Amino acid sequence: MKIGIIGARLAGSYAALLLARTGHEVIMFDGSAGREKPCGGGVTPKALLTMPWFRENALPHTEIRTLLLTHIDGSCASLQLQPPLHIFSRTVLDNALREAALSAGARFIPRRVREFHSLPRGWNIAGDGHAEEVEFLIGADGAAGMVRGRTAGRFRSPDLSLALGYYMPGSYHQDTVIAEFQEAGFEGYLWSFPRLDHASVGILQSLSSADSRDLKMRVRRFIAARYPGQAESMQFYAARIPCLTAATLLRQRVCGDNWALLGDAAGFADPITAEGIHYALRSAELLAKSFSRNAPAGYEEAWRKDFGQDLLRAAKWHDRFYSGSLLFSAFTRRMIQLTACSSTLRRLSNSVVAGRRRYEQFRRALILASPRVLVEVLAGRRRRISPKGFPG
């Protein structure tokens, strides 16, 4: 089958690689594939273990062994990650996957797609003096991409978050990721991810309530405190990231008779953390497997069965996580303080970060372990483990 993929970054390139390996004629289109991406670039140990391509291709990366959880009020907790999280430059990772797809026989048209329209048996894709007719169309051009808008419909504001921040050239805390949560009701968090030659420092907030000036101020204040003297070399970035509501996840369709969506274009990102790399890669695998069964339309059922329930659970927990309370304080603040005091809670949280435990499994395990957590918290309070003291 002749397949056109609009978007030749992570999901699009990986899908092209898998489909070309099985004999399909694949053409990728992208006029901006070489640019860096604003996301952290973290790949979980689960993805590294379950996706053979990572084992076969040793790309440069940083290994994150510590996740520092902080709150804007100064509370903090440190998670020692076992096994470590790997951080890749998205330019390096995307380019490597695209080159692998080309080696497998796919073609790449480095031009922006200006228009595409349906034909009796496929699609016509055109842009910048080049046109191709294909039998199947794959959209991997992001949450605001044209394929999403023309097939499944554009996302509403409640289903998107605004991410903005700065790239800072240089090497910073190479084995530590920082996540700083804001005041109660702020639907998002601030992060610092170290890559090999720069750090990505940014902030995320629900698009419905985001104020870009306020977000810039928060990031610049964070940078001034932790990276003094770096303001002159920073490079600004901004993007829209899907964080779908439960209602949207339940009703949306991400494929039809001759089209499908991958990664951000399908809305596949964790509604709480906005992590999307694992889902981008996994969605490409599931679509390729559906093609191998000569049933591309089976992709819809496949993603719902594979990771759909986990996304739905996170969407249902989103409001409580960012706006709820626990023990008479903001939920995020109190959870950080509890994590600082409890080795059991740190172990359970680590299993979620590593991808070994899903949200529902974490909830059940936490309920069973709650007596032990309580004992550890009370002991920690006496020893004043929490930097701000507990409960604060």
Side-chain angles (χ1 to χ4, degrees):
M1 182 181 290
K2 189 174 182 180
I3 302 169
I5 303 177
I6 298 180
R9 304 296 298 255
L10 192 69
S13 294
Y14 193 41
L17 168 62
L18 299 176
L19 291 167
R21 280 179 173 175
T22 55
H24 295 282
E25 182 182 356
V26 183
I27 308 172
M28 298 178 287
F29 302 83
D30 199 319
S32 60
R35 293 187 302 192
E36 187 59 87
K37 288 273 287 186
C39 74
V43 179
T44 64
K46 180 181 179 179
L48 294 170
L49 289 172
T50 58
M51 297 176 183
W53 186 86
F54 282 101
R55 297 194 298 273
E56 297 164 1
N57 297 269
L59 299 180
H61 62 275
T62 55
E63 291 192 3
I64 303 303
R65 301 186 180 276
T66 302
L67 170 58
L68 183 62
L69 300 172
T70 69
H71 191 272
I72 196 169
D73 78 336
S75 302
C76 68
S78 180
L79 292 182
Q80 301 307 307
L81 303 181
Q82 293 294 335
L85 180 73
H86 288 196
I87 303 290
F88 296 87
S89 161
R90 281 298 305 273
T91 297
V92 171
L93 180 56
D94 294 352
N95 288 349
L97 278 168
R98 189 166 54 253
E99 288 300 320
L102 295 176
S103 296
R107 285 193 286 150
F108 176 46
I109 309 298
R111 299 176 184 175
R112 179 181 176 184
V113 172
R114 302 290 181 180
E115 180 59 39
F116 66 91
H117 61 267
S118 60
L119 301 171
R121 299 187 61 180
W123 301 84
N124 180 272
I125 304 173
D128 293 340
H130 188 93
E132 292 279 353
E133 291 187 6
V134 299
E135 298 169 77
F136 197 95
L137 173 67
I138 296 176
D141 52 342
M146 62 189 306
V147 183
R148 171 83 200 191
R150 291 277 299 278
T151 54
R154 296 193 178 279
F155 290 121
R156 302 173 303 120
S157 292
D159 292 311
L160 294 169
S161 289
L162 174 63
L164 61 79
Y166 299 90
Y167 302 125
M168 296 193 309
S171 178
Y172 308 93
H173 53 82
Q174 289 286 284
D175 65 348
T176 302
V177 159
I178 303 172
E180 181 185 274
F181 295 95
Q182 308 298 293
E183 66 274 10
F186 187 101
E187 298 179 39
Y189 64 97
L190 191 152
W191 69 83
S192 176
F193 271 58
R195 296 169 175 174
L196 285 177
D197 61 354
H198 70 279
S200 171
V201 182
I203 195 168
L204 175 87
Q205 188 179 22
S206 173
L207 186 61
S208 300
S209 53
D211 180 335
S212 61
R213 289 175 297 181
D214 175 66
L215 296 181
K216 284 182 180 180
M217 179 191 69
R218 291 173 187 259
V219 177
R220 295 185 75 90
R221 186 169 57 209
F222 178 90
I223 290 174
R226 294 184 178 267
Y227 308 95
Q230 297 301 314
E232 296 302 320
S233 59
M234 299 189 308
Q235 178 185 352
F236 178 75
Y237 65 77
R240 293 185 179 186
I241 298 176
C243 294
L244 304 194
T245 63
T248 299
L249 280 166
L250 286 170
R251 71 170 179 263
Q252 78 160 352
R253 290 175 62 245
V254 300
C255 71
D257 291 336
N258 58 2
W259 62 270
L261 302 172
L262 298 175
D264 282 2
F268 294 156
D270 187 300
I272 293 177
T273 66
E275 191 280 318
I277 288 181
H278 169 74
Y279 300 112
L281 296 170
R282 185 59 180 155
S283 63
E285 289 185 333
L286 293 173
L287 180 59
K289 288 180 180 179
S290 297
F291 267 96
S292 70
R293 302 186 184 102
N294 295 316
Y299 168 59
E300 186 74 60
E301 180 182 357
W303 77 263
R304 292 187 183 277
K305 183 178 180 180
D306 190 89
F307 56 76
Q309 285 302 309
D310 209 36
L311 293 181
L312 184 61
R313 178 68 61 183
K316 290 179 177 179
W317 287 0
H318 176 275
D319 289 348
R320 181 178 181 184
F321 185 87
Y322 284 115
S323 302
S325 62
L326 177 65
L327 299 176
F328 311 106
S329 186
F331 182 86
T332 51
R333 175 176 182 260
R334 194 62 84 209
M335 281 299 296
I336 289 172
Q337 293 175 329
L338 293 172
T339 300
C341 294
S342 170
S343 60
T344 298
L345 187 51
R346 291 195 294 272
R347 175 175 54 81
L348 293 176
S349 300
N350 185 29
S351 69
V352 175
V353 176
R356 296 192 303 270
R357 201 185 303 266
R358 296 188 171 187
Y359 282 120
E360 182 60 22
Q361 296 170 323
F362 172 76
R363 187 182 71 88
R364 290 197 296 264
L366 183 58
I367 291 172
L368 292 173
S370 57
R372 186 185 311 165
V373 171
L374 178 60
V375 170
E376 292 171 348
V377 167
L378 292 175
R381 180 183 180 182
R382 287 194 297 271
R383 294 194 301 268
R384 306 183 72 84
I385 290 177
S386 173
K388 294 287 288 185
F390 181 85

